[in-house]
Amino acid sequence: MERLYITDVCMRDGLQNQCAQVSTEAKLALAQHLVAAGVASVEATSFVSPRAVPQMADAADVVLGLQQRLPTLRTSVLVPNLKGLRRALQAGCREVAVVLSATEEMNRRNINMSLAQAREESALVLREARARGIKTRAYIAVAFDCPFEGATPLDRVKVLAAEMYAAGADEVVIADTIGSAFPAEVRRRMTELATVVPLDRLSIHLHDTRGTGLPNALAALQMGVDQFDSSVAGLGGCPFAAHAGAAGNICT
């Protein structure tokens, strides 16, 4: 393997839980620093309800600012549904991501949908985006363990990953949302997932709750994964998993 591909998710995952409002200008300055450090891909924001996530209320302004200042930076944005996709398209986004949790309760807490509804909505978003020539990513959240339902069945993760790939995801991101994975399980799950999604379309999103984030990344790397999410300073974490002690992402 000659090259790794890293997407820094700090602007979205890292900032979404911050109590103090971060200005649009500060977000754009952060992106410029990341690019200066060698980062070529970021997840910049999310087109969600400003009431639910006030930190992302300036999503359209962030996208416009990045297009003007850093036009060659690969920039993706999170969209929870078709409404979010339409807002992202209006803002001129060229790459979008959906998040499908692998358990019933996590979907209800995160996007107020059942698992069945989330599967259908995610597939619709992916197909619509692809029809418009937009690149796509699909997260499978709580792909190892769920803070509400415990261990996530591997067979279910495989089915969901295959569905998202079939719906048009250019990249399927396997997320250890609460940072509970360990290297042997990372190897096992990524090996199995590579039977339903081509290995070069698989990415991994790791958190460092138990201090195993980097060993888990190494385990994925050793079995051929070359696409990783990370966050500057290790910031981030799902607000709906906080009660499980979930920590931030692995540090860029």
Side-chain angles (χ1 to χ4, degrees), residues 200-221:
D200 63 356
R201 298 291 190 91
L202 283 173
S203 178
I204 193 163
H205 176 106
L206 298 165
H207 287 250
D208 202 32
T209 305
R210 299 178 180 173
T212 56
L214 285 178
N216 287 338
L218 179 60
L221 175 66

Side-chain angles (χ1 to χ4, degrees), residues 23 130 132 191 222 226 251:
S23 70
R130 287 299 299 270
R132 293 173 176 267
T191 298
Q222 289 172 334
D226 65 358
C251 182

Side-chain angles (χ1 to χ4, degrees), residues 13-92:
D13 198 352
L15 297 183
Q16 67 181 357
N17 294 337
Q18 299 302 307
C19 296
Q21 193 70 22
V22 180
S23 70
T24 302
E25 184 59 37
K27 293 174 183 178
L28 296 175
L30 170 60
Q32 290 175 302
H33 285 303
L34 289 170
V35 170
V39 171
S41 174
V42 300
E43 188 172 78
T45 188
S46 57
F47 283 82
V48 294
S49 167
R51 292 188 302 276
V53 189
Q55 198 69 253
M56 301 292 115
D58 61 348
D61 292 333
V62 167
V63 170
L64 177 61
L66 291 176
Q67 290 171 344
Q68 292 174 339
R69 300 186 193 186
L70 301 166
T72 63
L73 177 64
R74 177 185 169 188
T75 301
S76 62
V77 301
L78 198 67
V79 294
N81 48 35
L82 284 171
K83 181 179 179 180
L85 173 63
R86 292 178 184 124
R87 288 177 57 206
L89 292 172
Q90 289 173 354

Side-chain angles (χ1 to χ4, degrees), residues 132-147:
R132 293 173 176 267
I134 303 298
K135 291 187 66 176
T136 55
R137 308 175 84 213
Y139 284 94
I140 308 298
V142 295
F144 292 84
D145 295 284
C146 173

